[in-house]
Amino acid sequence: MKAFLRFSNGEPNLSASEKKIVQKLSEAATIISTLYLVQRDPRYPGANFYPHDATREEIERASKQNPSILSPYTFVERDKAGKLVAVPYSKRFKKELVQIAKLLREAASLSKDKEFRAYLVTRAQDLLRDKFDKSNILWLNTEQSKIGFVIGPFDRYIDKLFFRKRAYMAWIGILDPLQTDELSRFKDTILLSERNYLPGAKRAKIAKVKIRVEDTLVFSGLIADFLFVGNNIPSSADLYLIKKYGTLFTLFNQPTDWRFSNWLFPIFQRIFSRKIKGKFTEEELKHAFLQTNVLHEACHTLMRYEDAQARLRELTPYFDELFTDLLGVKGCGTLILKNALTERELEAILIMTICHSLYFYTSIPVRPHLNPYALGGALIIDFLVKGKALRKQVDGFSLDSYRAFMALNQLTSIVEYYVALGNHQEAEEFLKKFSLRKIFSPFDPYLKGIPKETLPSLTRAKNNVR
């Protein structure tokens, strides 16, 4: 179980006081990993958030009498009489959270960054009361802070029963100003395009989207388990908040480099024909992967519908992640018209989209929780193959970029219906039409042995589970 990862970045350019701040935050992040491990249990769709013998129907009935049963920040347990009750995170983990809050306040006292200091103090308070709006709003003001730090329960991916409960995580990073400036300009160009929403859909308009790129020092909890290359805070679960205040998404340099070098580029070298392999350099493809990450995170804010989660429930992540990938590709057409992207760059982005789809499928044995991403990738591959955009040749697969763009535009329209208007039953029936094994089987011979390494080159902290 890898719930704490310390990245080997050498000595970052930090002052003595900044190093002390990072040390305090690292101690807090180490504690948070133990809380995540209490929450996580891949054997059950509800992880450890609900009693393993409780049915979905029983939990739903109990929540009608006690809404805190389905609060994002409670464990559901049985009392002595067998009745379902809700136990707040702040009560279950009081000892650890008090310790974390103390470390955050000590780190704040060492900081000369006014915005970062205010955020740390408020986040310490919020951790003890299971309410994060105040500190999330203050987090948005740390866009240019040298040290980046997020800690708390945010993403819902391990609650596959209701997609409600939020898992603990933390990260620490150092701002990369040059990359931030470059990719921020790219992000702004993406967001200039006004999208047409389906008639009758409940559109959610996001106030503002900020970006920062970081050299990663520490991943803890869910983010260490999933090894994200980017993350939005406030998250999509806080739609009411990001509609008013916006969101800040962070891209992580080291996890991005690792995923590209150890998975995506080897996949590219194995599956594509000699003609395509000779056309693009490794550096071009790496830059295209960075662009796909910005497209993905930016498009999270372009596709929000007010009632999507209420309709799709636990299927939300299957459609949410796929739709943002598809919107990113679709938006490239507009970027080309604005001379913000070349056709060659679009082809490289399409190649990285294919390799990323194969990455999620190939990595399932070591990260089974990536199944929603893998199924989304299966739909992308299926439409490309059926649209004759991706064809098997003697020496690998060829790609027709024009056909690929058209095929993925078609898939975008289909998926948007479910995100904007579809109900749970029809969304479930749609997903059942696609088989990972069947769709990816033509690629299996090319993917054997990728990768040998299943974790980045970093040190791991030992975790003590309560």
Side-chain angles (χ1 to χ4, degrees):
M1 192 76 66
K2 286 77 181 178
F4 186 96
L5 303 174
R6 191 183 300 278
F7 289 76
S8 303
N9 293 340
E11 275 296 311
N13 183 25
L14 299 175
S15 67
S17 62
E18 287 169 340
K19 289 179 181 179
K20 290 180 181 178
I21 292 171
V22 168
Q23 179 59 38
K24 297 285 185 184
L25 301 181
S26 296
E27 291 177 35
T30 304
I31 299 170
I32 219 73
S33 68
T34 67
L35 309 191
Y36 172 71
L37 291 178
V38 173
Q39 296 175 317
R40 186 188 191 275
D41 192 332
R43 296 172 297 176
Y44 301 98
N48 286 331
F49 296 119
Y50 315 93
H52 297 158
D53 63 348
T55 64
R56 182 185 179 91
E57 292 71 26
E58 181 186 8
I59 296 168
E60 287 178 329
R61 285 196 303 270
S63 71
K64 291 178 181 178
Q65 299 296 321
N66 180 9
S68 62
I69 292 286
L70 288 180
S71 160
Y73 309 115
T74 63
F75 283 91
V76 180
E77 299 177 354
R78 293 193 186 278
D79 62 15
K80 293 180 180 179
K83 180 183 177 182
L84 294 181
V85 295
V87 179
Y89 289 0
S90 55
K91 181 178 179 180
R92 175 76 177 270
F93 298 127
K94 183 178 179 179
K95 178 182 176 182
E96 293 88 346
L97 292 174
V98 166
Q99 189 177 357
I100 289 171
K102 180 175 181 291
L103 288 165
L104 265 57
R105 288 193 293 269
E106 289 173 352
S109 69
L110 296 169
S111 178
K112 297 178 181 179
D113 183 327
K114 181 180 177 181
E115 285 77 18
F116 189 62
R117 185 170 65 246
Y119 158 70
L120 288 179
V121 170
T122 307
R123 179 52 53 93
Q125 297 169 348
D126 286 357
L127 284 165
L128 299 174
R129 60 190 180 189
D130 296 323
K131 295 179 180 179
F132 296 91
D133 286 1
K134 288 185 178 180
S135 55
N136 279 340
I137 293 169
L138 290 175
W139 159 249
L140 297 172
N141 297 330
T142 67
E143 174 188 9
Q144 295 299 322
S145 294
K146 185 175 182 179
I147 299 173
F149 176 67
V150 162
I151 190 168
F154 299 109
D155 288 323
R156 302 163 286 175
Y157 294 109
I158 63 172
D159 179 6
K160 297 178 182 178
L161 196 61
F162 288 98
F163 195 57
R164 289 288 188 92
K165 305 297 183 181
R166 305 198 195 187
Y168 279 105
M169 68 179 190
W171 80 70
I172 306 171
I174 306 301
L175 181 69
D176 180 338
L178 294 179
Q179 280 276 60
T180 296
D181 185 57
E182 178 187 347
L183 295 180
S184 183
R185 289 195 300 271
F186 185 58
K187 176 265 299 180
D188 290 341
T189 307
I190 298 166
L191 296 177
L192 282 175
S193 302
E194 184 70 18
R195 293 191 59 250
N196 294 320
Y197 282 66
L198 295 183
K202 297 181 179 179
R203 175 189 181 182
K205 189 173 178 64
I206 308 305
K208 187 183 296 184
V209 182
K210 299 179 180 180
I211 180 176
R212 60 180 279 135
V213 182
E214 292 181 354
D215 284 321
T216 308
L217 301 180
V218 166
F219 270 4
S220 179
L222 180 140
I223 200 168
D225 200 6
F226 280 61
L227 271 170
F228 289 150
V229 294
N231 199 271
N232 272 277
I233 300 291
S235 67
S236 59
D238 300 314
L239 187 57
Y240 67 94
L241 202 61
I242 61 179
K243 282 169 56 181
K244 186 174 182 179
Y245 297 99
T247 187
L248 169 57
F249 68 83
T250 306
L251 299 179
F252 309 112
N253 279 335
Q254 282 65 31
T256 297
D257 292 345
W258 169 80
R259 187 180 293 186
F260 177 80
S261 299
N262 289 279
W263 292 80
L264 303 185
F265 192 63
I267 288 172
F268 165 76
Q269 290 177 311
R270 291 202 182 191
I271 71 163
F272 282 106
S273 66
R274 285 191 297 272
K275 181 179 179 181
I276 293 180
K277 285 188 288 189
K279 185 175 181 180
F280 294 95
T281 67
E282 183 175 352
E283 195 59 35
E284 282 180 299
L285 294 174
K286 184 176 181 180
H287 186 68
F289 181 47
L290 279 174
Q291 290 176 314
T292 64
N293 292 341
V294 179
L295 287 164
H296 178 90
E297 298 298 338
C299 287
H300 264 305
T301 66
L302 290 176
M303 55 74 64
R304 293 300 172 204
Y305 291 94
E306 298 277 3
D307 57 348
Q309 184 186 336
R311 287 181 287 99
L312 299 177
R313 305 200 300 270
E314 81 283 357
L315 300 179
T316 301
Y318 290 87
F319 289 91
D320 183 67
E321 299 299 336
L322 171 61
F323 191 37
T324 53
D325 281 338
L326 293 170
L327 278 182
V329 173
K330 184 175 182 177
C332 288
T334 304
L335 294 179
I336 288 176
L337 293 176
K338 292 180 177 180
N339 294 319
L341 199 72
T342 66
E343 291 185 9
R344 182 183 178 87
E345 287 176 311
L346 171 57
E347 187 173 1
I349 287 171
L350 289 169
I351 288 170
M352 283 294 96
T353 300
I354 293 167
C355 291
H356 216 195
S357 299
L358 293 168
Y359 155 72
F360 289 125
Y361 166 68
T362 310
S363 64
I364 283 180
V366 291
R367 291 189 184 82
H369 41 260
L370 293 180
N371 186 68
Y373 298 85
L375 187 55
L379 270 70
I380 288 173
I381 296 296
D382 189 61
F383 269 67
L384 291 176
V385 171
K386 289 179 178 177
K388 298 181 179 179
L390 191 60
R391 295 188 181 189
K392 187 176 180 180
Q393 308 290 338
V394 175
D395 62 341
F397 286 83
S398 64
L399 177 67
D400 184 320
S401 297
Y402 177 77
R403 284 181 175 271
F405 192 69
M406 297 303 294
L408 294 185
N409 267 330
Q410 181 188 11
L411 178 58
T412 305
S413 299
I414 294 170
V415 172
E416 181 157 21
Y417 165 75
Y418 294 100
V419 174
L421 300 167
N423 61 48
H424 184 273
Q425 181 179 345
E426 58 187 358
E428 188 173 43
E429 290 173 355
F430 171 71
L431 292 179
K432 285 180 178 178
K433 296 177 182 178
F434 301 90
S435 163
L436 290 180
R437 185 178 298 275
K438 183 178 179 181
I439 291 170
F440 287 115
S441 60
F443 300 88
D444 281 336
Y446 299 87
L447 299 173
K448 289 180 179 178
I450 293 180
K452 298 293 184 183
E453 181 186 27
T454 57
L455 277 176
S457 298
L458 38 76
T459 53
R460 305 176 203 166
K462 294 181 179 179
N463 299 294
N464 298 314
V465 185
R466 293 176 61 195

